[in-house]
Amino acid sequence: HIASISAAVFRTQERARKLWSMKIYRSALLRFADDGQAVYDSDALLAIAPDAAGVQRVVAAGSWQALADQYLEREGVQVIHLPGKLLAPGFVDLHIHYPQTDVIGAPAPGLLPWLENYTFPHESRFHDSEYADGVADFFMNELLRNGVTTALAFATSHPTSVDAIMTAAQKRSMRMIAGKVLQDRNSPDGVRDDTEQSLIDTETLIQRWHGVDRLGYAITPRFAPTSTEAQLRGAGELAARYGDVWIQSHVAENLDEIAWVKELFPESRSYLAVYDDFGLMRERAVYAHSIWLDETDRQLMHDTRSAAAISPTSNQFLASGYFDYLKADEAGMLYGLASDVGGGMSFSPFRTMQAAYVVGREGHAKQGQSLSPQNLWWQHTAGAARALGLQGVIGNLQPGCEADLVVINPGCTPLLARKTAQARNLDELLFAMIILGDDRLIEQTIVSQAK
Ligand code: GUN
Ligand code: ZN
């Protein structure tokens, strides 16, 4: 009897604790339906509370009018009223190199000379853990400043570089996925790793970081030309053994690169097929660029549920080519948007969405189309989350999602204030921000935290 009374008291206390820690936001709200359609409420209620494990999650989202009575009558809720602001899912960056934070804007005639002259020499510094920690901290702050709450990130070939980014993300409770780069050939001293040791290090890092707090590990062969067959085979074996870790690499970015892969892997049907031949295509495998694919490749992407990380500012900067959205959709490929810093030109999802729009429009190298603002935004939030196999977890603000979100100030510059005030519908509102926006739009980035 006493036990059941104390259980009841405990339940009441627990309920009170939950109510006390419930936060209700009142603002405009953007989220996405399962089919990718945007759902927008100009006066919305978003309720966030910790679940049983203490993870902050969305518990209700919808129009203020429909939900307010039900939630406001509860005791102890904290109401945060943000008139004139827009709440939206935290952005998901599907491909970025944290060690290339300082490589942004390094000029080179194309990918291969850019790697050789700027990127590899710079990445060689990350054997030094103090240096890596400093860059990782700056990088994480820059992501948050730009409204990015999750990234699938390359570290360098040095295991210390992975510890640095994981530690920096863990400190901020961020959902971050990263991995040690595998590159055991065609790479200079200082970044080249040893085949056997690289695979041992990868497994050690998986065991150290994958699934710890909100962190995930990605097996990370840099790209086919810088790995021996033995290293790719070993990576594929690890991918089979650890089925829920991610895989990330680059594919079909640049024509010189493709010619090189053809020489190095004459047995494979195509550049993409190299990865398939070594067991590196499956769910949770993400291939940056995926520009110069043929129909068979696209079918392979679809059939294996591998995803493309579209990196439009990088493709413009390195003059690599244009991602073909129409053909990707015909094949039913998974994809999402990525900055690809430091080949990419900006950390800002707005700059990336703007470039994606221009890439979609391009109509000489492929058929052009005008991507809708809602679709561009989806590609950098719920679409990118789906590509990671994290739909319903991040990239959205539907009930059940982890509470990673941004508070956007649509009036952050005189021109944006003027343009967004004139918007007659959601597409006009979002497009004004995509075309004119940058980090100034992000007033606050809120990351779900375990209590
Ligand atoms: N291919 C191999 N490595 C890289 C890299 O660091 N950046 C880009 N954009 N492409 C690559
Ligand atoms: Zn890249």
Side-chain angles (χ1 to χ4, degrees):
H1 183 64
I2 288 172
S4 76
I5 289 173
S6 60
V9 168
F10 177 76
R11 275 199 302 276
T12 310
Q13 283 171 345
E14 187 66 3
R15 216 174 105 74
R17 188 185 65 75
K18 269 193 189 160
L19 289 180
W20 273 106
S21 48
M22 182 177 283
K23 276 196 179 120
I24 306 257
Y25 289 93
R26 181 178 189 178
S27 177
L29 174 67
L30 177 69
R31 61 208 153 104
F32 293 91
D34 286 347
D35 64 0
Q37 290 299 308
V39 180
Y40 176 73
D41 296 283
S42 58
D43 182 17
L45 179 149
L46 180 74
I48 291 170
D51 66 13
V55 177
Q56 299 285 343
R57 288 183 194 277
V58 175
V59 290
S63 90
W64 180 264
Q65 219 186 358
L67 296 171
D69 285 350
Q70 186 185 339
Y71 283 90
L72 290 184
E73 75 182 18
R74 303 185 183 203
E75 232 176 284
V77 296
Q78 183 188 351
V79 179
I80 301 154
H81 191 193
L82 301 168
K85 304 292 156 59
L86 169 65
L87 297 177
F91 290 100
V92 177
D93 192 328
L94 209 47
H95 175 75
I96 188 165
H97 301 251
Y98 98 81
Q100 294 176 16
T101 300
D102 295 305
V103 181
I104 297 182
L111 171 67
L112 301 178
W114 176 82
L115 285 172
E116 188 179 333
N117 297 324
Y118 291 102
T119 306
F120 289 158
H122 188 76
E123 290 192 11
S124 70
R125 304 180 66 173
F126 285 74
H127 68 89
D128 174 352
S129 65
E130 218 172 293
Y131 182 73
D133 287 342
V135 176
D137 266 325
F138 182 91
F139 171 84
M140 224 53 79
N141 291 343
E142 196 62 15
L143 287 183
L144 291 171
R145 239 174 43 70
N146 280 282
V148 176
T149 47
T150 289
L152 174 60
F154 272 53
T156 65
S157 56
H158 317 91
T160 47
S161 72
V162 175
D163 293 335
I165 186 174
M166 294 298 197
T167 304
Q170 192 176 34
K171 269 201 293 201
R172 295 164 176 81
S173 300
M174 289 170 74
R175 189 173 270 287
M176 184 65 45
I177 307 166
K180 173 203 132 49
V181 174
L182 297 164
Q183 52 180 123
D184 67 347
R185 68 161 161 172
N186 295 322
S187 309
D189 292 350
V191 293
R192 192 179 56 257
D193 59 9
D194 170 77
T195 313
E196 203 178 336
Q197 189 60 42
S198 71
L199 298 166
I200 294 170
D201 288 343
T202 296
E203 188 160 22
T204 304
L205 290 165
I206 291 172
Q207 290 172 355
R208 183 177 304 159
W209 292 113
H210 186 69
V212 173
D213 294 339
R214 303 183 77 203
L215 307 173
Y217 193 85
I219 297 168
T220 309
R222 179 162 213 122
F223 65 154
T226 49
S227 284
T228 59
E229 296 197 2
Q231 194 176 46
L232 292 176
R233 192 170 304 112
E237 285 165 9
L238 286 170
R241 203 166 330 137
Y242 296 95
D244 69 341
V245 307
W246 283 267
I247 299 167
Q248 59 179 344
S249 192
H250 299 89
V251 78
E253 175 177 6
N254 167 291
L255 295 175
D256 294 336
E257 171 207 19
I258 291 171
W260 194 19
V261 173
K262 217 177 172 67
E263 273 172 36
L264 293 169
F265 298 92
E267 309 283 295
S268 290
R269 195 203 69 82
S270 67
Y271 184 172
L272 184 68
V274 173
Y275 297 120
D276 192 41
D277 294 345
F278 289 101
L280 290 164
M281 296 191 69
R282 60 153 167 75
E283 263 178 54
R284 297 194 167 203
V286 178
Y287 287 95
H289 310 299
S290 304
I291 296 170
W292 304 96
L293 303 182
D294 64 16
E295 298 312 314
T296 310
D297 290 327
R298 290 192 182 92
Q299 200 55 48
L300 182 60
M301 290 290 283
H302 168 267
D303 293 348
T304 58
R305 295 193 56 76
S306 302
I310 306 168
S311 309
T313 73
S314 171
N315 299 156
Q316 289 175 329
F317 184 71
L318 293 169
S320 302
Y322 301 92
F323 183 83
D324 193 329
Y325 279 99
L326 281 172
K327 292 214 166 125
D329 284 341
E330 266 168 36
M333 272 169 59
L334 290 171
Y335 56 75
L337 281 175
S339 67
D340 191 29
V341 160
M345 293 189 274
S346 174
F347 276 83
S348 174
F350 296 98
R351 293 280 305 279
T352 301
M353 291 188 286
Q354 182 199 106
Y357 180 74
V358 174
V359 161
R361 273 298 278 272
E362 195 286 331
H364 300 284
K366 57 168 182 60
Q367 202 180 323
Q369 72 189 118
S370 184
L371 294 166
S372 79
Q374 300 183 22
N375 177 259
L376 289 163
W377 207 293
W378 173 84
Q379 286 184 47
H380 223 333
T381 53
R386 188 181 68 145
L388 289 171
L390 293 174
Q391 63 275 23
V393 181
I394 53 168
N396 210 340
L397 292 174
Q398 299 287 26
C401 289
E402 295 174 356
D404 287 346
L405 61 143
V406 288
V407 179
I408 292 175
N409 176 8
C412 67
T413 70
L415 183 55
L416 266 165
R418 189 177 166 93
K419 277 290 291 179
T420 54
Q422 290 171 35
R424 291 166 303 176
N425 54 45
L426 179 61
D427 271 333
E428 291 185 359
L429 175 68
L430 299 183
F431 212 32
M433 292 190 272
I434 289 169
I435 297 303
L436 295 171
D438 55 32
D439 52 326
R440 289 171 292 184
L441 277 168
I442 304 298
E443 186 164 288
Q444 201 190 342
T445 303
I446 297 163
V447 170
S448 171
Q449 250 174 325
K451 269 267 150 84

